[in-house]
Structures are given as C-alpha cells and as structure tokens.
Amino acid sequence: MMTNPSRRRFIAAGGVGLLSFVVGDSCLRISPAEARYKKLPLGNLNATQASALERLGDALVPGAADSGLVYFLDQQLSTSTEDCMLMIRYLGVAPPYKDFYIQSLAALETACLRRYQKDSAQLSASQVAQLIDALLSGSLLDWQQSLPAAFFAFVLRSDASDVVYGTEAGFDRLGIPYMAHIPPPAPW
Amino acid sequence: MVLLADAGQALDVVIVGSGAAASVMAALLAEAGKSVLLLETGAERQSANMISSQIWGRRMKWGGEPVLDAGRHSVAYNFNMGRGTGGSAMHQYAVWPRLHPADFTLASDHGVGLDWPLAYDDLRLHYDRVQQEVGISGDAAAEHWRPEGAPYPMGPVPTFPQGRIIARGFERLNLSTSPLPLAINSRVYQGRAACLWDGWCDAGCPIGALANPLAVYLPRAQQAGAVLRHNATVTRVLTDRTDRRALGVEYVQANGEVRHQSADLVVLAANPIQNPRILFASGTRRSPTGLANSSGKLGNYLMSHPTVSTFGLFVEETYSYYGPKGGQLLCQDGYQKDQHQGHAFGSYQWMIAQALKPNDLLGIANSRPELYGTKLTEFMARAAQHIATMATVCEGLPMQENRVGISAKSKDKYGMPLAEVTHSFAPSSLALVEEARQEGEAVFRAAGATEVWSSGVNAMHIMGGTVMGTSPDASVTNSYGQTHDIPNLVIAGAGLFPTSGGVNPTFTIHALARRAATYLLDHWPG
Ligand SMILES: Cc1cc2nc3c(=O)[nH]c(=O)nc-3n(C[C@H](O)[C@H](O)[C@H](O)COP(=O)(O)OP(=O)(O)OC[C@H]3O[C@@H](n4cnc5c(N)ncnc54)[C@H](O)[C@@H]3O)c2cc1C
Ligand code: SF4
C-alpha cells in the first residue's frame, strides 16, 4: 500500500554499525557494545564521569549503555560546534558543550554524596530511580548549576534516546522501517 | 586579522546568505544578466551530505556564533535557524500555505500590531509564479479558506493511516481538513524526483523532491553565473560618506582574512536576527544607532509563532513513520482573527499527521519527557505503531518591545558584537495557543484516541526585526525591502514581515523576494 520495500533498505535484525578506534598502531572496527566491554579509551570523559553517565543514561533509557552512550558523547564532545551532532547544540546552551556535561556530572556527584554518601555508580537501582525522580522534579538539593537539574536529565535522556532508538538498529528494534536515502556511516 | 583590499572587481549585486530569500534573489538577478556574488557564513553542503538520520541532520542547525536570549519566551534561534548552503531552508518541512488578505491589514482591521505596505493582491501573482517554478502539491478546491490564486501544479500528498485517523476527529467536531500544501513533489516535476514519503525532510531531502535552495533556485543562480562563496561571514555593510549609499560589504574568510566586496546593490538575506545585527554593527559616526535606522525601529517587532503539538495513542496502527515530516492535512478553520474565546486573538492552523521518528526534540521519546526506564521502553514499543500527532501554527502578535539588539559586552571571534534577543509572546497569542491546545485534544478524543496529551508552548519560525512599511519613521524598509535610508541596500526574508499570520513563512519569503527582484530590475538603484 504505502511503499515499495524493494526501494528501501531494511536492515537485518541485529545488524549494527561499527566504531573505529585507533589503539596503538592498529585501527579496530568494533560495535559500541564491544567497545564498552573492552573498556576502550575515552578522549574527553574520565572513568568516573563515564560510569555515572552509563548508570544514569541506562536507567533513563534502558539499553543506552550497550548502545554506546558514553562513546557517542565522548566522540561528539571532540567535534567543533558546527559539526556537533548532540541535541544540546540547539537547546540554547553556549558551547563548549563539554563544560555543560562535566559540570552537570560534578553537580550530580556532589548531590549523590550528600544524599546517599556514595557516588552515582554505586547506587542501587531504587536509589537511581529516586535520584532521577528528584532530577526531573527539580527537587534535588545542592544542585549547584545555573541550568536546572531537570534540564540535564532531559538532555541526557535525549542523548540516550538517540543511541537506543535513533539508529538503524533502534528503528529495527521498534519494528519500524528506516527507509534511508543516505544511511548513516556510523552506528549513530 | 589581515585586511586585504578588494581583490575582485565591483559587482552588480552582493547577497549576504544563501538561504530561501538569497537564492530567489540570486537566481532572478543573475538570470537578468546581473553579476551576483553570494556570501555564506556556513560551510558548503551538497545533497550527498544529507544523511538520513535525526542525529546527523543536526549539522544543518545554526552552530555559529551564539545569540543571547532574554525575555520570557525564547525564539529558539539555534533550533529554528540553519547555516551553510541553503540556510534554514535546507531542512525546512516545506509546508507552504499563503498568507490571507486579512494578515496584511491587522492594524487597520483590529487596531493591534501593524499593517503591511502591500496587499495580498500585490503578492498574488508572485505566489502563483513561485508555485509554478518550485512545484507545490495540494488541492486548492478542498482548501475552502484559501485566498484567490492559481490551482496547485501537482496533486496532493497521499493521506496515510495517521492522517485518516486524525481527520475523523475533525469531521466529528464539524471541522474541515484539506490536503496540506507542500513544496514537495507528489510526482516527478520539472525533472526533479517524486517524494518517497519516508519522513526524512528534517535531515534534508537529498533527492530533490523538496524545494530547498539546492533543488531549485541556487542551481538556477549558478547556471546564470552567480558565484557562491562559503565560510564568508559578512561583518559590515560599507557606505559612502553620507550613509545614504551602500558601497559593498566587509566579510571575513575562514582563515581570518578580511575582505571588501564592492557592489551596486547590497542584499541582506542573512536571517531576521543576523540582518539587524549586521546593520547595528555597521553603524558609523553619522549613524551611531546602526545603519538604516533613522526610524529607530531596527531590530523591533521580532516575532515567532507560538505552537503546541497534540499527541495521541490509537488502537489501530497509525504508520506514523510514513509521509512528509510537515504533515499530510491542513485545517485553517481557526483563521478568523477575532472569533476566539476570552481574549485569545489571531489566526491559527493545524498541520496534521506529521511523520514521526523515535528520537530528537520532536520525536516520539521526547513527546513524553517524564517517562523513563521500563515505562519508557513499554511506551516506545506501543507508540512506534500507534502514535499520531499534529502541530499548530498560531499567530504571534508584533510588539515593538520584542527586539534584536547587540551586546555591549560579548563579541564573536571577529570582534563583532553578539546579537541579543528579547522576546515574549503577547498574552492574547498565548491565549490563542491555549485554545488551539484544547481543540487539538478534543479532536484526538473525538478521533478515538485512548490517550491524549500535548507538548508545552514552543516558538516556531522567526520573523520581523526589519519590518517593512509605508512610513520611514515607523519601519525599516519599503514594500520591496529597500531600506528607507539607503535605496541600494535591500533586506530580504521573513525579517520584513510586519505581522506573522498563522501560516509558515517560506512561501511568502519566496513571493516577496520575487516581487523585490522584479521591481529592482526595473528600477535599478545602482
Ligand atoms: C526544522 C525547520 C522546519 C521548517 N519548516 C518550515 C515549513 O514547513 N514551512 C515554512 O514555510 N518554513 C519552515 N521553516 C522555516 C524556513 O526554513 C525559514 O523561514 C526560511 O529558511 C528563512 O529563509 P531566509 O532566507 O530568511 O533564511 P535562511 O534560509 O536561514 O538563510 C539565511 C542564510 O544566511 C546565512 N548568514 C547568516 N549570517 C550571515 C553572515 N553574517 N554572513 C553571511 N551569511 C550569513 C545563514 O548561514 C543562512 O545560510 C522551517 C525551519 C526549520 C528550522
Ligand atoms: S519525505 Fe519526501 S520530501 Fe521528505 S525527505 Fe523523504 S523524499 Fe524528501
């Protein structure tokens, strides 16, 4: 009725794009989940920031960690404002966007320590849910940022939605056709 | 910075920008034999760069020097404006209705806002010609609200299940719908491809089915000899000793070199915020408050359309991933400006059944920003097959205090002051969008939605800031976009609009640019 499937490129189940990593002298082509498993090095985020992002991102949008949220953010934070593909670029925040993420993550850790006496990566699932509720409702005390906590949660949730749902694999998971004119050259 | 003397020769026309307005002006002037140079601040884009992805598509967004935002309602500059070849028009959704005659006489009819210095009839012929040139699909007879004009050259966009489901809600409430007029080919048109209804318009249509500048007017301009230079940021308009004649522009190249380009005619077609910014930055000792600002109205009357989106889940499959991004159907039953509840005032329309993608600001996941974890997963699984949506375009009244200025403190890397925007919607415009929100939810309930919700109020499109008018004391330009102070300095684009109407602006931008170019060729100010 609506479209001729032969004109379309439906992707096979489980087909995901590969990331390129230069490790030592060699260039690895691996999936985001493998990159995560192998703990491949990051350029912008340190280990604490990466685990906080994964923990929160995956709780917001299940599947975000395996879909490579941290690698997506880390890679995009190295690009110029003009080439950046993060949603933050059109939400009225002044670049460099790295500052926004790093400062928000620091505020998050401070709030976690005050509230739970541990950092975000060590929270139980129910504590993470409580934390998200507090972030979204703006009731997180000690949030020392000019931009509200709910805005940070919104941005991170959007980033996580990008990697989980905004890809060829994500469309496939939802059972909807991607129908690319020009498919993305990377997993995201 | 190195200041180089003008390396090139004096031209007939230099145009700032390469978007909707710039490309029309460039094509018409170059085809008439004028030597034309377009200076575009952003990078070069070609169809091959338009990757089908809401993530990759973000590269079309502004990404240039920041605009400082104040006031209660942001105009969402970085979302609403694009940069690079073709400007914002490269990722527009091509919903192209005409303004109505009453949009031109707001002040005379209702005592609010402004009047245009021209009537709908002055623009009608240009709407008709542009429509023929770019190809618009639609059904003129079904649009009972449509102003006089030639029928569309192409039949309408097909109505997919999402459209049919929502339309029955309108019908049950005795509201009418028609196919949405779109600058998108419903069949092969003048050698350009037909739409595949895949909803990727937001990331740029690479097959030429959507009438963006790369598909229609830029190739025409270049074929007629116009030259388009990228990474060329115009910082100033240069004038003679009297500030009554423009001599050309100053621009900075990517390597930091400053150049001058002389021309008989300077056309500012940057955008409604960058045009006044350039004019403020071009102020001289003789024009300390900015060039072409003897009226003191430069930057004033900035407008946007307040908008809400309605969402609903239906029992049936909606196939909301099919169709153009802008929608399939139109309702302008709410266009009568003074027939609303309470103090709501103005015109509005519905763009019905917009194609949805799962992610991004306007995507499925962000329609319910409060959901997370397994609730979000469950919602996504259901919504992917059963969601439907529509969005309204409501009139934002022109108010003098909504304005573009320049910062006294912050400058860009070239030393040019940043633009500062102050914008709040009028209470009557907010009341109008609230009325539309309630109507939208009622329509979805009538259509049988099992769950209905709406977005918050957002700003769609940017207009005004360099408004046209008959009086040099109350406006910046005449009806052709010629600045009252400097006849060979012309402004093009939505910045000229004295009112916003309740429709998308780009068809009118094209018609105005066509009218201006035709006039200028007959009355060459050089
Ligand atoms: C997501 C989205 C969807 C849209 N959908 C629709 C729709 O369905 N229907 C509709 O009618 N409209 C739509 N629009 C609006 C439409 O894109 C604009 O109205 C239109 O493009 C404005 O035309 P313009 O020529 O004034 O500006 P633009 O097309 O933005 O062009 C201005 C150009 O000037 C350049 N520039 C800026 N400053 C300088 C400088 N200092 N030096 C040199 N160059 C400069 C910019 O980089 C840009 O390329 C949409 C916009 C967006 C963002
Ligand atoms: S839906 Fe049509 S106009 Fe939009 S990108 Fe696809 S082919 Fe182009």
Side-chain angles (χ1 to χ4, degrees), chain B residues 225-522:
Chain B
V227 173
L228 168 53
R229 197 164 295 160
H230 292 94
N231 303 306
T233 304
V234 171
T235 44
R236 251 173 0 121
V237 174
L238 306 169
T239 46
D240 71 1
R241 285 159 183 273
T242 64
D243 276 357
R244 294 276 156 191
R245 182 168 175 75
L247 300 175
V249 296
E250 174 188 274
Y251 68 99
V252 191
Q253 304 192 126
N255 62 7
E257 280 178 5
V258 180
R259 302 187 83 96
H260 286 178
Q261 178 60 57
S262 312
D264 284 348
L265 179 70
V266 173
V267 178
L268 281 185
N271 64 43
I273 288 174
Q274 299 303 327
N275 285 336
R277 177 179 177 231
I278 293 168
L279 290 174
F280 281 123
S282 305
T284 64
R285 226 168 1 94
R286 293 165 305 273
S287 312
T289 60
L291 217 54
N293 192 22
S294 62
S295 63
K297 300 293 186 285
L298 180 64
N300 295 358
Y301 300 108
L302 191 73
M303 291 171 285
S304 185
H305 288 124
T307 176
V308 287
S309 294
T310 311
F311 297 93
L313 291 177
F314 291 83
V315 175
E316 305 106 298
E317 284 195 35
T318 52
Y319 298 88
S320 64
Y321 36 83
Y322 287 123
K325 179 80 182 169
Q328 302 163 26
L329 298 169
L330 174 70
C331 173
Q332 288 190 349
D333 285 352
Y335 217 87
Q336 286 285 337
K337 295 190 192 294
D338 54 1
Q339 294 189 4
H340 302 289
Q341 302 152 11
H343 65 289
F345 177 84
S347 301
Y348 71 88
Q349 68 172 15
W350 286 105
M351 301 181 291
I352 301 160
Q354 303 181 303
L356 279 166
K357 302 291 177 194
N359 62 320
D360 206 31
L361 192 62
L362 307 180
I364 299 174
N366 271 332
S367 79
R368 295 288 301 271
E370 78 287 5
L371 296 181
Y372 70 90
T374 47
K375 283 194 178 140
L376 175 64
T377 309
E378 282 160 20
F379 168 74
M380 291 302 290
R382 196 164 152 228
Q385 314 300 336
H386 298 279
I387 196 169
T389 189
M390 62 183 187
T392 178
V393 176
C394 292
E395 180 156 11
L397 283 188
M399 301 199 294
Q400 194 175 345
E401 61 271 30
N402 283 337
R403 61 186 305 272
V404 184
I406 48 171
S407 169
K409 288 189 230 143
S410 309
K411 297 188 170 173
D412 68 11
K413 61 183 174 189
Y414 305 128
M416 192 178 172
L418 295 183
E420 243 172 14
V421 169
T422 308
H423 178 265
S424 303
F425 288 120
S428 57
S429 307
L430 289 173
L432 185 70
V433 77
E434 172 56 20
E435 180 180 313
R437 186 187 65 76
Q438 289 177 17
E439 181 178 84
E441 294 192 3
V443 164
F444 270 46
R445 277 192 296 273
T450 53
E451 271 180 59
V452 180
W453 69 99
S454 300
S455 70
V457 176
N458 292 307
M460 186 193 273
H461 312 127
I462 304 178
M463 296 147 290
T466 48
V467 297
M468 47 164 65
T470 41
S471 162
D473 296 333
S475 56
V476 180
T477 81
N478 68 15
S479 76
Y480 301 102
Q482 277 176 300
T483 57
H484 293 300
D485 298 352
I486 308 175
N488 73 330
L489 172 61
V490 167
I491 296 174
L496 297 172
F497 292 15
T499 65
S500 71
V503 297
N504 320 57
T506 309
F507 194 9
T508 305
I509 291 173
H510 278 65
L512 281 177
R514 193 181 186 287
R515 180 173 181 269
T518 312
Y519 174 85
L520 290 166
L521 286 168
D522 287 343

